[in-house]
Amino acid sequence: GTNNEDLLSDPLYLGCRHPRINREDYDSFIDNFVSKIKVHFPNAFLHWEDFGRGNARRILDKYQDQLCTFNDDIQGTGAVTLAALLAACRVTSNKLQDQRLVVFGAGSAGTGISDQIIDALITQGLTPEEAYERFWLIDRQGLVLADDVDLTEAQKPYARQRHELEAWDLNGKTNPSLTDVVRNIHPTILIGCSAQPGAFSQDVIETMTKYCSRPIILPLSNPDEKCEAQPKDIIQWTNG
């Protein structure tokens, strides 16, 4: 694309000066790499880091049964977030299975976090259907809905049915926004992986607090200037 060409012509660009390789060559390289790792380091733990959303889960799924492997952006973030939620549930004396979760940003991190929580809910005795029922994921287009043709494979299990919105007040919009979702489903947990600074506005937080005495709010986007809200603001808007 044009971005690639701009980079290649930039005298300050430090990377390799060649166009992006196509999917076939890319996959062939990864496959070659994994096969050599298996031969030379059969007991290695292979950690994938910072792979784009078009490749991260695809590669993890392809190789997860061939060697000990892990994608940090999907599973590491998910495991740490799950640990934080379990601790928060203990503090608020609530069970994880009694929570309603809104995840803002449904890329590799957002769906990876959600998948870890789904596994925990199933371990605690819920069916997969019951576990997915507790999630509302929001991506660039708004609430992730089943009739959206552009859903990623990772988003599909979380997609809500459009008929669920019949009683919602949406002002004629096709996909509910974060504010719409918070106002209509009264979440107890709000997780941000959107890289949209300020997305957890005072209005969103105050609306959530109206229906939940001790909301669990995790703005996780980094670096800090991409964070959905600042902790000091959240503490103020929730009255501590």
Side-chain angles (χ1 to χ4, degrees), residues 159-218:
R160 309 296 299 203
Q161 298 299 325
R162 195 167 285 278
H163 66 75
E164 297 176 51
L165 313 179
E166 282 165 10
W168 291 26
D169 171 24
L170 290 177
N171 308 323
K173 284 184 300 212
T174 49
N175 284 41
S177 66
L178 173 62
T179 309
D180 293 325
V181 174
V182 169
R183 205 174 56 231
N184 284 281
I185 70 117
H186 307 162
T188 57
I189 293 173
L190 179 59
I191 297 171
C193 337
S194 68
Q196 299 292 316
F200 294 175
S201 64
Q202 184 170 352
D203 177 46
V204 166
I205 301 297
E206 286 179 350
T207 303
M208 186 178 179
T209 312
K210 231 185 260 180
Y211 305 103
C212 177
S213 59
R214 297 200 74 182
I216 299 167
I217 301 166
L218 301 176

Side-chain angles (χ1 to χ4, degrees), residues 127-145:
T127 65
E129 294 71 30
E130 289 169 336
Y132 285 112
E133 198 53 37
R134 283 153 173 75
F135 281 82
W136 287 262
L137 267 57
I138 300 169
D139 209 36
R140 296 181 183 98
Q141 72 277 36
L143 181 65
V144 171
L145 293 168

Side-chain angles (χ1 to χ4, degrees), residues 29-95:
F29 175 85
I30 298 281
D31 207 52
N32 194 21
F33 177 77
V34 172
S35 64
K36 295 296 189 287
I37 290 282
K38 283 159 67 178
V39 171
H40 295 291
F41 306 103
N43 299 316
F45 172 65
L46 182 56
H47 171 142
W48 307 97
E49 179 70 35
D50 273 346
F51 277 65
R53 87 191 258 166
N55 293 316
R57 183 173 295 266
R58 196 172 64 83
I59 288 171
L60 182 65
D61 289 346
K62 183 171 178 181
Y63 296 108
Q64 65 180 1
D65 296 328
Q66 294 188 32
L67 76 171
C68 186
T69 187
F70 164 94
N71 181 293
D72 188 49
D73 305 283
I74 298 174
Q75 294 161 301
T77 310
V80 171
T81 306
L82 174 59
L85 292 185
L86 292 172
C89 287
R90 201 172 300 140
V91 170
T92 58
S93 304
N94 290 314
K95 293 181 175 154

